[in-house]
Amino acid sequence: QVQLVESGGGLVKPGGSLRLSCSASGFTFPDFYMTWVRQAPGKGLEFLAYIDTSTQTTYYADFVKGRFTISRDNLKDSLYLDMNGLRVEDTAVYYCAGGRYYYYRYGMDVWGQGTTVTVSS
Amino acid sequence: EIVLTQSPGTMSLSPGERATLSCRASQSIDNNYLGWFQQKRGRAPRLLVYGASRRATGIPDRFSGSGSGTDFTLTISRLEPEDFAVYYCQQYGNSPWTFGQGTKVEIK
């Protein structure tokens, strides 16, 4: 079935780094634009980063620009988020999510279950 | 950055009632790329509507989206017990993409 599975979350000290991975199965991954979205405890959803189907275009939320990098490997059906300079306020559940693009940007209808990142000394 | 403002913050309704959720954008959203998501506690969000008015696959027809430009609405025609949740709008037409702060639909 259609599935996204995140991994790589955990406990990290402020200023540290972490790489999140998202493995796709059950659909044609190269046909989907992909994003990372997070949710701090008790808070709403926050868009973090976007990458298009061909990896040539990326967008970032202002508050992660320069610290986080989104990338994908279409041969491995995988999405990544490299996070540097982590702050306490980056503590959240991190979701990968994507949607189909075919001359039209469909909505983000595929979501992972989330991976928890805790930034604490 | 486009700011999405959802209203109300919380709505208390009974099963069978109609729910009307609002999402207002600080500027016009390109291509009306506006989506609505439902999220239940401890679960990933679920896409309900995309492109402002297109129902996602498998979503019951009691959910409908409308609007264009800066003003958008999600309507749930008759609330079922499983519809009590938090709803988010999201714009994905202008970089950076953004979410609204959410509307909680609770049982009255």
Side-chain angles (χ1 to χ4, degrees), chain A residues 24 27-34 51-55 72-78 99-102:
Chain A
F27 64 98
T28 306
F29 182 72
D31 289 347
F32 279 61
Y33 67 83
M34 296 299 298
I51 188 166
D52 72 359
T53 54
S54 65
T55 79
R72 66 190 292 167
D73 184 337
N74 284 345
L75 295 179
K76 294 183 177 179
D77 290 348
S78 293
R100 194 160 49 95
Y101 180 81
Y102 185 73

Side-chain angles (χ1 to χ4, degrees), chain A residues 1-9 19-27 29 34-36 76-81 94-98 110-116, chain B residues 44:
Chain A
Q1 75 275 25
V2 172
Q3 198 171 11
L4 292 172
V5 178
E6 301 98 336
S7 60
R19 176 178 241 210
L20 304 184
S21 300
C22 172
S23 178
S25 60
F27 64 98
F29 182 72
M34 296 299 298
T35 69
W36 286 97
K76 294 183 177 179
D77 290 348
S78 293
L79 175 74
Y80 307 100
L81 185 69
Y94 285 69
Y95 296 101
C96 61
V110 183
W111 288 73
Q113 82 289 353
T115 187
T116 300

Side-chain angles (χ1 to χ4, degrees), chain A residues 39-115:
Chain A
Q39 188 167 37
K43 302 296 185 183
L45 301 172
E46 282 189 310
F47 166 82
L48 299 177
Y50 156 96
I51 188 166
D52 72 359
T53 54
S54 65
T55 79
Q56 291 185 9
T57 300
T58 57
Y59 306 147
Y60 294 92
D62 288 344
F63 56 85
V64 301
K65 209 173 288 185
R67 296 193 301 132
F68 292 8
T69 302
I70 189 172
S71 61
R72 66 190 292 167
D73 184 337
N74 284 345
L75 295 179
K76 294 183 177 179
D77 290 348
S78 293
L79 175 74
Y80 307 100
L81 185 69
D82 290 296
M83 304 186 293
N84 298 308
L86 284 163
R87 305 166 181 167
V88 171
E89 55 266 33
D90 293 321
T91 294
V93 174
Y94 285 69
Y95 296 101
C96 61
R100 194 160 49 95
Y101 180 81
Y102 185 73
Y103 299 105
Y104 179 83
R105 192 177 285 156
Y106 293 80
M108 288 159 39
D109 62 346
V110 183
W111 288 73
Q113 82 289 353
T115 187

Side-chain angles (χ1 to χ4, degrees), chain B residues 2-18:
Chain B
I2 292 181
V3 176
L4 299 179
T5 302
Q6 292 186 240
S7 61
T10 301
M11 54 193 339
S12 300
L13 296 168
S14 299
E17 288 193 294
R18 181 184 189 91

